[in-house]
Amino acid sequence: MLRDVKWVIVSDNEKDTLACYASKGYRGYLDVRTGHPVIPAKRYTMAWLFSVGLAAVMEKDSTIKFIDTHGQVVIDKDFHYPSFTYGYLFYDSLCAMTDALGKWGIINRKGDWVICPEYDGIAHEDAGFWLLNKGEKRCLLDKRAKSIIPVEYRNVEVFEQGISVVLE
C-alpha cells in the first residue's frame, strides 16, 4: 500500500503496465499488477504515461526527457515544457514535442526531429492523423508524418466519413 498518493493514472494500452502516480509534489511509476512502486515519486515534477516503453518526465529545470521502464534516461535533447496537457505520448513511434522556443514538431523514438519544430500546435487524432497549426493555417499529416493536406487552410477536421477543409 502506498501512502500520500494524490492520484494514479493508468494507460489504456495493455502493453504499458506502469501507471503514473503523484505523491508529495513529485511523480513516479508503479506496476499496475502489483501496486508496488517501480520508479519512486522522488525526482520528477511532471511525468506522463508510458507509450511503447518510453515515458516523458520533467525535473525542476523544465526540460523533458524520456525514460525507459527501468527509469534510465534514453532521450535527453533539451526538449522544453510549455503547458501541454494531453501528454507526450508516442503514436506509431512518433511523438509531438516542443523546442526551447515553444514551437512544436514531431520526434521519433531516438529523439530526432522528423517534423521540424516550426508549428504553434500539434494534435494527434484518434484515426492516426497529425493535425498541425501554424498561425491561422492548418495542415494534416498521416501516421508516418507525411503531408496529406498542406499548410494553407483555415481549418481541417477529420471525421469518420472523411476530411473537411475550410478555405479562407
Side-chain angles (χ1 to χ4, degrees), residues 7 9-12 20 29 46-51 54-57 64 66 81-91 94-98 104 120-126 129-131 133:
W7 52 258
I9 298 178
V10 180
S11 173
D12 58 359
C20 186
Y29 295 92
M46 299 286 287
W48 290 266
L49 289 173
F50 272 87
S51 58
L54 298 177
V57 294
I64 302 287
F66 285 87
Y81 175 72
S83 64
F84 191 49
T85 58
Y86 299 111
Y88 296 100
L89 299 176
F90 280 90
Y91 300 96
L94 299 176
C95 178
M97 182 51 61
T98 48
W104 287 91
D120 300 314
I122 296 179
H124 186 266
E125 300 288 321
D126 289 337
F129 298 102
W130 294 95
L131 183 60
N133 67 293

Side-chain angles (χ1 to χ4, degrees), residues 1-8 19-23 28-31 34-41:
M1 174 181 293
L2 294 175
R3 296 192 183 279
D4 300 317
V5 173
K6 188 172 184 177
W7 52 258
V8 176
C20 186
Y21 75 99
S23 178
Y29 295 92
L30 58 86
D31 187 315
T34 66
H36 291 93
V38 175
I39 301 168

Side-chain angles (χ1 to χ4, degrees), residues 9-20:
I9 298 178
V10 180
S11 173
D12 58 359
N13 184 344
E14 295 173 7
K15 293 179 182 178
D16 292 309
T17 59
L18 295 183
C20 186

Side-chain angles (χ1 to χ4, degrees), residues 66-120:
F66 285 87
I67 60 171
D68 64 17
T69 56
H70 302 289
Q72 300 300 312
V73 174
V74 294
I75 300 174
D76 183 0
K77 296 200 174 183
D78 201 34
F79 299 129
H80 287 262
Y81 175 72
S83 64
F84 191 49
T85 58
Y86 299 111
Y88 296 100
L89 299 176
F90 280 90
Y91 300 96
D92 292 312
S93 297
L94 299 176
C95 178
M97 182 51 61
T98 48
D99 68 3
L101 301 175
K103 291 295 186 179
W104 287 91
I106 297 176
I107 61 169
N108 62 20
R109 285 182 46 89
K110 294 178 182 177
D112 299 325
W113 294 106
V114 294
I115 297 295
C116 291
E118 58 188 48
Y119 295 90
D120 300 314

